[in-house]
């Protein structure tokens, strides 16, 4: 079966990803703030200012509304390392910033601490033997991390980039060939709309939206932002699509886990929504956790649930990382918080078959494995290496010398209720039973109580079976 599949393409609504590029004094900062005000729709705007506080020139003056100005949150940054930008983006996420404006993104390429400076730094390290050529490898990784953080920001993103004159040299002749953006070549392709600014006039030089092709506006502002928003709003809202799918009454475990993975990939887990049934404010992540709990508890309550399936469900919860997801359960008239792992374990314990008594005077074999096939045993997949290590470590903590193989195997055989020739002969389900039993003995007298338990099992095994 192929792991990849194609599905019909559907355009989704999106957040703005805008790049403003131009020389100093062309109006990039002013335009960015005007666009941001419309995009934010009353929400907070955050400006990462690498231009020595130049954005503050457009801030309001207290007590002087006649001077105008733009309301925004200000974050000055002098050392423009990729790590600092990543941290600033995270801070913007936590502050619920609606529009993030990086003014100027060029400094993260050619400024203090920027990518070019990092290449220079890497090339001088003693461990580097290839000069600047090999120094780019770790820096490329940093750049990708920076791009991922910036472009996955859940709100709108605007960046400004400086341009400078570009020249070519043929022999002794130097010719001006145009302007060049102060960023890695091709960086403009990371954005949906690129606007070239010249003396306050913005011209769209790259866009994915046809109505914006070659648009040119003097002092772009609210009206221009409205056109961009109209294009961004065409299509299916990815948050609404996830919420609608999560509300499906026929939601399966695979489906809710896929929705969670999609939300994480698109950085939508903390997106603010209204609960589809209660209407109260919540997040995509909280809704998906709730629905995961609904699905798991329904599976556990189903009459088709068996011990084997509970073991496999617990194993999957551990592997996929949702075993600690919390669930409110009514117990004796009170709401109690359990983890999904707790609920699965409790259901599995209730479904665990009663172990059969070992044959009278049975002794674990120490030679080649001669026991009957264990394919009929609960959880018939083989014991895993982590389970084996856990059994060894716990037995050692209970005073067992793991070098005494015969004694160890006799204890395990008594617990599972059959002769176990080697520890590798255990099934996954049997190993889970052994671990659960061993974990029940804690405290200073654990070793003594465990020996008493084994003696009780041994006495029970010697009793004749009832007809």
């Amino acid at each position: 079966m192929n792991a990849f599949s194609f599905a019909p393409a559907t355009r989704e609504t999106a957040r703005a990803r805008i790049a403003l590029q131009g020389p100093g004094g062309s109006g990039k900062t002013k335009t960015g703030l005007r666009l941001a005000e419309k995009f934010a729709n009353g929400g907070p705007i955050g400006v990462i200012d690498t231009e020595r506080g130049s954005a503050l020139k457009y801030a309001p003056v207290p007590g002087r509304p006649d001077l105008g100005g733009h309301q925004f949150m200000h974050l000055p940054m002098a050392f423009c390392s990729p790590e600092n930008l990543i941290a600033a983006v995270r801070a913007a996420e936590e502050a619920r910033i609606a529009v993030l404006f990086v003014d100027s993104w060029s400094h993260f390429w050619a400024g203090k601490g920027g990518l070019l400076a990092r290449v220079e730094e890497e090339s001088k390290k003693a461990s580097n033997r290839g000069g600047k050529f090999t120094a780019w490898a770790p820096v490329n990784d940093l750049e990708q991390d920076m791009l991922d953080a910036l472009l996955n920001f859940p709100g709108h993103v605007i960046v400004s980039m400086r341009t400078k004159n570009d020249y070519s040299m043929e022999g002794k002749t130097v010719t001006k060939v145009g302007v060049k953006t102060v960023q890695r070549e091709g960086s403009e392709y990371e954005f949906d709309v690129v606007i070239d600014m010249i003396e306050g006039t913005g011209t769209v030089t790259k866009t994915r939206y046809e109505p914006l092709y070659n648009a040119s506006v003097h002092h772009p502002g609210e009206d221009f932002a409205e056109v961009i928003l109209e294009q961004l709003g065409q299509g299916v809202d990815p948050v609404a699509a996830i919420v609608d799918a999560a509300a499906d009454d026929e939601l399966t475990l695979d489906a809710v886990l896929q929705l969670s993975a999609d939300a994480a990939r698109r950085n939508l887990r903390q997106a603010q929504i209204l609960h589809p049934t209660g209407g109260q404010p919540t997040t995509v992540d909280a809704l998906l956790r709730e629905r995961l709990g609904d699905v798991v508890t329904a599976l556990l309550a189903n009459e088709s649930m068996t011990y084997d399936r509970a073991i496999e469900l617990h194993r999957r919860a551990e592997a996929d990382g949702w075993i600690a997801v919390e669930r409110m359960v009514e117990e004796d008239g009170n709401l109690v918080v359990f983890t999904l792992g707790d609920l699965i374990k409790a259901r599995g314990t209730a479904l665990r078959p009663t172990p059969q008594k070992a044959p009278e005077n049975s002794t674990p074999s120490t030679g080649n494995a001669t026991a009957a096939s264990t394919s009929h045993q609960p959880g018939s997949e083989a014991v895993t290496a982590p389970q084996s290590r856990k059994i060894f470590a716990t037995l050692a903590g209970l005073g067992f010398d793991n070098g005494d193989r015969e004694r160890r195997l006799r204890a395990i055989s008594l617990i599972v209720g059959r002769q176990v020739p080697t520890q590798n002969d255990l099934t996954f389900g049997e190993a889970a039973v052994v671990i659960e039993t061993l974990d029940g003995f804690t405290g200073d007298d654990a070793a003594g109580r465990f020996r008493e338990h084994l003696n009780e099992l041994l006495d029970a095994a010697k009793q004749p079976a009832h007809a």
Side-chain angles (χ1 to χ4, degrees):
M1 180 179 177
N2 197 323
F4 301 96
S5 61
F6 288 90
T10 303
R11 179 169 167 178
E12 294 183 344
T13 58
R15 298 294 186 180
R17 298 292 183 262
I18 310 294
L20 304 167
Q21 57 185 24
S26 59
K28 299 186 296 297
T29 302
K30 179 66 175 178
T31 297
L33 289 170
R34 296 181 72 184
L35 295 177
E37 280 190 338
K38 180 62 179 178
F39 291 155
N41 192 29
I45 298 168
V47 177
I48 300 174
D49 186 352
T50 69
E51 298 276 7
R52 296 182 176 85
S54 65
L56 293 175
K57 296 180 175 67
Y58 302 98
V61 177
R64 293 293 306 275
D66 56 302
L67 297 178
H70 302 274
Q71 298 281 349
F72 58 90
M73 307 294 287
H74 185 250
L75 175 63
M77 188 170 292
F79 190 77
C80 301
S81 68
E83 294 91 341
N84 279 354
L85 182 56
I86 292 170
V89 172
R90 296 288 177 262
E93 291 180 5
E94 293 172 3
R96 309 282 188 192
I97 295 295
V99 183
L100 181 62
F101 182 16
V102 183
D103 186 33
S104 154
W105 196 39
S106 290
H107 285 107
F108 294 94
W109 173 255
K112 187 176 181 180
L115 294 170
L116 293 181
R118 291 297 284 272
V119 170
E120 188 71 27
E121 181 183 321
E122 288 288 334
S123 69
K124 294 177 180 178
K125 289 183 177 179
S127 58
N128 183 285
R129 299 180 182 276
K132 290 185 178 180
F133 181 79
T134 55
W136 272 105
V139 176
N140 285 336
D141 291 339
L142 277 174
E143 181 182 29
Q144 190 58 56
D145 291 342
M146 176 177 70
L147 278 171
D148 288 344
L150 186 62
L151 298 179
N152 288 330
F153 178 70
H156 299 287
V157 173
I158 303 172
V159 304
S160 68
M161 297 185 287
R162 291 180 175 183
T163 58
K164 62 180 181 179
N165 292 333
D166 196 20
Y167 300 89
S168 67
M169 177 176 288
E170 296 181 7
K172 296 183 178 180
T173 303
V174 178
T175 305
K176 181 179 177 181
V177 294
V179 294
K180 182 178 181 180
T181 303
V182 183
Q183 251 296 343
R184 183 191 281 272
E185 185 174 354
S187 59
E188 66 272 16
Y189 296 112
E190 303 291 346
F191 297 89
D192 296 326
V193 180
V194 179
I195 303 172
D196 279 14
M197 297 297 302
I198 300 177
E199 296 181 355
T201 297
T203 302
V204 176
T205 54
K206 182 261 180 182
T207 181
R208 293 188 172 99
Y209 304 113
E210 188 171 344
L212 297 175
Y213 288 169
N214 298 318
S216 184
V217 180
H218 188 58
H219 295 314
E222 183 175 331
D223 292 342
F224 191 69
E226 186 65 48
V227 176
I228 295 174
L229 284 174
E230 182 180 354
Q231 292 304 307
L232 294 172
Q234 301 299 316
V236 177
D237 183 349
V239 173
I242 289 174
V243 172
D244 290 344
D248 188 350
D249 291 337
E250 303 299 322
L251 190 66
T252 65
L253 179 60
D254 287 338
V256 71
L257 292 176
Q258 184 59 56
L259 288 174
S260 183
D262 290 344
R265 176 174 55 82
R266 300 179 183 191
N267 203 28
L268 298 175
R269 301 185 90 169
Q270 299 307 316
Q272 298 292 306
I273 60 171
L274 295 179
H275 195 283
T277 56
Q280 69 273 23
T282 185
T283 64
V284 168
D285 185 57
L287 174 64
L288 291 176
R289 284 172 172 264
E290 177 189 330
R291 294 297 286 134
L292 175 61
D294 293 340
V295 171
V296 171
T297 51
L299 286 173
L300 295 175
N302 195 292
E303 292 181 356
S304 64
M305 178 57 61
T306 64
Y307 179 73
D308 284 17
R309 290 178 179 175
I311 287 287
E312 183 55 38
L313 189 60
H314 194 275
R315 189 179 191 179
R316 183 174 184 183
E318 283 187 312
D320 292 349
W322 48 270
I323 196 166
V325 171
E326 294 183 341
R327 175 76 172 176
M328 298 285 287
V329 177
E330 187 172 348
E331 195 172 81
D332 298 328
N334 298 314
L335 288 177
V336 183
V337 178
F338 291 95
T339 67
L340 294 183
D342 292 335
L343 296 177
I344 298 169
K345 186 175 181 179
R347 181 63 170 148
T349 300
L351 292 169
R352 184 172 67 193
T354 303
Q356 296 180 354
K357 291 180 180 179
E360 187 175 353
N361 299 324
S362 63
T363 303
S365 167
T366 56
N368 293 330
T370 57
S373 169
T374 61
S375 61
H376 66 285
Q377 296 289 339
S380 56
E381 293 183 30
V383 59
T384 64
Q387 284 180 313
S388 285
R389 290 194 293 270
K390 173 71 171 176
I391 292 171
F392 271 108
T394 312
L395 281 173
L398 293 172
F400 270 63
D401 178 4
N402 283 316
D404 190 344
R405 181 173 179 271
E406 183 173 345
R407 183 173 177 236
R408 170 169 49 84
L409 291 175
R410 175 177 287 277
I412 292 172
S413 297
L414 288 169
I415 293 171
V416 299
R418 73 173 181 89
Q419 184 176 328
V420 179
T422 70
Q423 192 162 310
N424 288 336
D425 186 62
L426 286 171
T427 66
F428 178 87
E430 288 175 330
V433 170
V434 173
I435 292 170
E436 182 180 349
T437 301
L438 297 177
D439 282 345
F441 294 94
T442 58
D444 296 338
D445 60 343
R449 289 188 292 109
F450 181 57
R451 284 194 298 271
E452 291 175 6
H453 177 68
L454 292 180
N455 287 333
E456 291 171 0
L457 291 177
L458 183 59
D459 290 341
K462 291 177 180 179
Q463 297 297 321
H466 293 287

